[in-house]
């Protein structure tokens, strides 16, 4: 017998490309990269990342070409503004624009930085058959995060910090000594000092100086401004 003819079904539409994450394919802007870099800087200051992890992720940030490549870099970190604010941050004063690092060099000689001085964002210390001392116990911290890159070849680099800051570091000693005494400041907004580097037949050492504390940080900054204004 004749079978009843069934109406033909329209052909299925061709599958569209997968645009499940249209934002992820957007080209990353400088502002996008800066936003991710700020999150990484906060994570380093809070101890969520060590200096090596921070460096690796920063490299990935500036290699990224799309927003989709940026987001995974900070997926395991809190975004800016999501952390509870327990207390206002101390006033450090206006930060210097990003510029060249401070350089301390000792070649068959000695170099010392101590007393009341304004700490820059970055300091490079290089000792070759010499000695460098960086004493931060009376310094004025103009920013939250301070990085010291120390290299010692048949020499010595010593960093001393007050007991109420946070001190971290990462480095290597090759037939030499690299030692950073990790310290966590009781105040979550305390300055953070990160010492990185290496020693070859030499010594790099960073540790707190007993009995030395940062006091009246805000007053120090205000006094400095008053002197600038001539008051």
């Amino acid at each position: 017998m004749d079978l009843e003819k069934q109406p033909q079904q329209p052909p299925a539409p061709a599958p569209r490309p997968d645009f499940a994450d249209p934002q992820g394919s957007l080209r990353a802007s400088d502002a996008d990269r800066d936003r991710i870099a700020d999150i990484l800087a906060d994570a380093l200051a809070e101890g969520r990342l060590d200096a090596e992890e921070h460096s690796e992720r920063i490299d990935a940030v500036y290699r990224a070409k799309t927003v989709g490549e940026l987001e995974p870099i900070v997926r395991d970190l809190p975004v800016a503004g999501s952390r509870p604010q327990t207390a206002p941050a101390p006033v450090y004063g206006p930060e210097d624009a990003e510029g060249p690092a401070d350089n301390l060099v000792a070649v068959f000689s000695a170099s010392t930085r101590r007393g009341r001085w304004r700490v820059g964002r970055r300091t490079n210390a290089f000792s070759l058959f010499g000695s460098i001392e960086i004493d931060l116990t009376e310094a004025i911290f103009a920013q939250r995060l301070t990085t010291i890159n120390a290299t010692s070849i048949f020499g010595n680099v010593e960093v001393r910090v007050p007991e109420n800051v946070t001190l971290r570091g990462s480095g290597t000693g090759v037939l030499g000594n690299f030692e950073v005494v990790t310290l966590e400041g009781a105040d979550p907004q305390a300055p953070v000092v990160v010492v990185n580097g290496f020693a070859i037949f030499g010594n790099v050492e960073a540790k707190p100086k007993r009995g030395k504390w940062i006091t009246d940080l805000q007053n120090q900054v205000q006094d400095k401004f008053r002197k600038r204004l001539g008051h």
Side-chain angles (χ1 to χ4, degrees), residues 11 35 45 58 60 73 76 111 126 144 175 196:
R35 174 176 59 85
I58 282 292
I73 298 173
D76 58 343
S111 179
F126 176 79
R144 175 108 191 275
L175 297 178
N196 301 318

Side-chain angles (χ1 to χ4, degrees), residues 163-182:
E163 290 186 302
N164 56 335
V165 306
T166 294
L167 175 62
R168 302 193 183 99
S170 176
T172 304
V174 179
L175 297 178
N177 177 61
F178 183 95
E179 180 182 4
V180 174
V181 178
T182 302

Side-chain angles (χ1 to χ4, degrees), residues 32 41 58 93 109 115 166 171 185 187 205 211 222:
D32 292 326
I58 282 292
S109 62
T166 294
D187 184 348
E205 180 182 88
Q222 291 174 345

Side-chain angles (χ1 to χ4, degrees), residues 32-43 48-49 53-54 57-58 60-61 67-80 82-83:
D32 292 326
R33 295 186 182 91
D34 289 344
R35 174 176 59 85
I36 299 299
D38 287 343
I39 295 174
L40 293 175
D42 287 344
R48 300 178 190 273
L49 298 176
E53 291 172 318
H54 176 264
R57 296 196 189 197
I58 282 292
V61 166
V67 174
E69 293 176 80
L70 286 173
E71 297 303 335
I73 298 173
V74 293
R75 185 171 292 159
D76 58 343
L77 300 174
V79 298
S82 66
R83 293 176 293 278

Side-chain angles (χ1 to χ4, degrees), residues 6-45:
Q6 299 294 330
Q8 292 184 350
Q9 297 295 326
R16 293 184 176 182
D18 184 8
F19 293 115
D21 183 16
Q23 295 298 320
S25 59
L26 286 176
R27 300 287 292 190
S29 67
D30 289 341
D32 292 326
R33 295 186 182 91
D34 289 344
R35 174 176 59 85
I36 299 299
D38 287 343
I39 295 174
L40 293 175
D42 287 344
L44 175 64

Side-chain angles (χ1 to χ4, degrees), residues 109-154:
S109 62
S111 179
T112 301
R113 183 68 63 87
R114 65 157 67 102
R116 201 173 179 82
W117 58 290
R118 181 187 174 109
V119 183
R121 292 172 181 263
R122 293 177 295 125
T123 297
N124 297 325
F126 176 79
S127 172
L128 175 63
F129 289 99
S131 175
I132 295 176
E133 179 187 1
I134 302 174
D135 189 334
L136 303 176
T137 57
E138 296 180 24
I140 296 175
F141 290 84
Q143 63 283 317
R144 175 108 191 275
L145 177 62
T146 298
T147 302
I148 298 174
N149 299 311
T151 301
S152 175
I153 302 174
F154 290 97

